Amino acid sequence: MRYDIVIIGGAIVGSSVAYYLREEGFTGSIALIERDPQFSQAATTLSLASIRQQFSIPENIRLSQFTLKLFRQLKETFGADADIGFREGGYLILAGEAGLRILKANHEAQIAEGADIVLEDAGQLARRFSWLSTEGISAGAYGRGGEGWFDAHALLMLFRKALRERRIDFITASATGITRQGSRVTGVALDNGETLEAGIIVNAAGPNAGKVAALAGL
Ligand SMILES: Cc1cc2nc3c(=O)[nH]c(=O)nc-3n(C[C@H](O)[C@H](O)[C@H](O)COP(=O)(O)OP(=O)(O)OC[C@H]3O[C@@H](n4cnc5c(N)ncnc54)[C@H](O)[C@@H]3O)c2cc1C
């Protein structure tokens, strides 16, 4: 079997890579390899499944904003039944005197990207959160919108379901080897004895990505 793109790991990163390849108009063949289609050990399903805008670099903030837009358009994207139980609730990140400079710098980066985060001093925080002891707190950054939590397994299943209509071959197997010709990867060996020829391999193996890279000698 030959595929233009072989994706190793079918959880949120692998499945969304396959999904957006099709959304962007890629018409070549795609195989999505997953060793555990129940996702019992995937970071995706074991995560806390929260989304925040409070990062320190623009790239991370933009990734979250891209995902937030998807959450807000979930039903238009995946159908009227689509529901990931998204509940908006802001992160509250606190700093004492020592962390104040970093908190302010992060806040400036977030505001520059249009994130709805407020920076408040201890007095303002005490008025907003009556339960909060502000002893030792200089300031806090709070997400007024665009942050919260959701059902990551449900989100993953929406991507996987959408992929079934997009000509993706789902392969249940473990990738156990990667072949190379010089600096190019050429194929993936599976634990069922098959080998897939590959134009491009995407390593979406999550915490196992280092081991998968090592299969290619990287
Ligand atoms: C405790 C915890 C809490 C977290 N909380 C959050 C949070 O609140 N918000 C947030 O955004 N992120 C959170 N994260 C991070 C987030 O879960 C990960 O960034 C994200 O799920 C990574 O997705 P992934 O698809 O890359 O990896 P995974 O979900 O781990 O998927 C990798 C997949 O690759 C498969 N695989 C691995 N090796 C092979 C192989 N050789 N052959 C075939 N298949 C293979 C695995 O079976 C797995 O299904 C958290 C993570 C953890 C662990």
Side-chain angles (χ1 to χ4, degrees):
M1 292 291 283
R2 189 193 180 282
Y3 290 95
D4 294 314
I5 300 182
V6 173
I7 302 169
I8 302 175
I12 200 68
V13 169
S15 292
S16 56
V17 165
Y19 178 84
Y20 285 107
L21 277 167
R22 286 288 186 249
E23 288 299 291
E24 296 290 326
F26 180 74
T27 55
S29 53
I30 304 175
L32 187 56
I33 303 172
E34 174 53 55
R35 64 183 178 186
D36 169 28
Q38 306 302 319
F39 299 103
S40 59
Q41 298 296 317
T44 299
T45 47
L46 297 175
S47 89
L48 295 175
S50 318
I51 182 169
R52 65 184 154 116
Q53 312 288 321
Q54 295 190 59
F55 289 102
S56 54
I57 58 170
E59 290 82 354
N60 278 342
I61 301 166
R62 289 176 199 166
L63 279 167
S64 270
Q65 289 176 339
F66 181 90
T67 306
L68 184 66
K69 195 170 158 210
L70 173 72
F71 285 7
R72 300 219 193 282
Q73 297 173 347
L74 202 74
K75 291 186 189 301
E76 294 91 316
T77 308
F78 293 116
D81 290 342
D83 183 8
I84 57 166
F86 180 43
R87 298 282 176 275
E88 283 196 55
Y91 276 66
L92 174 61
I93 298 184
L94 302 169
E97 202 51 45
L100 189 56
R101 191 183 55 79
I102 294 172
L103 190 75
K104 281 184 176 169
N106 290 352
H107 181 247
E108 275 169 27
Q110 293 150 14
I111 295 298
E113 293 301 322
D116 187 13
I117 312 295
V118 283
L119 188 69
E120 297 188 331
D121 62 24
Q124 291 168 308
L125 289 172
R127 282 192 290 282
R128 189 186 285 277
F129 304 108
S130 57
W131 44 264
L132 181 71
S133 164
T134 54
E135 194 184 336
I137 292 174
S138 299
Y142 173 62
R144 282 189 298 203
E147 301 192 320
W149 52 95
F150 59 98
D151 181 338
H153 185 265
L155 179 63
L156 175 58
M157 290 305 117
L158 288 177
F159 274 112
R160 305 271 296 176
K161 191 169 166 228
L163 292 181
R164 294 208 181 87
E165 296 145 17
R166 285 171 171 75
R167 294 184 303 102
I168 311 287
D169 280 2
F170 289 82
I171 297 173
T172 302
S174 190
T176 51
I178 292 177
T179 53
R180 276 174 52 164
Q181 266 177 9
S183 62
R184 280 202 69 83
V185 290
T186 54
V188 179
L190 304 178
D191 63 348
N192 60 14
E194 285 179 24
T195 300
L196 310 178
E197 277 182 54
I200 289 173
I201 299 173
V202 178
N203 181 353
N208 209 37
K211 287 185 183 155
V212 168
L215 297 177
L218 301 171

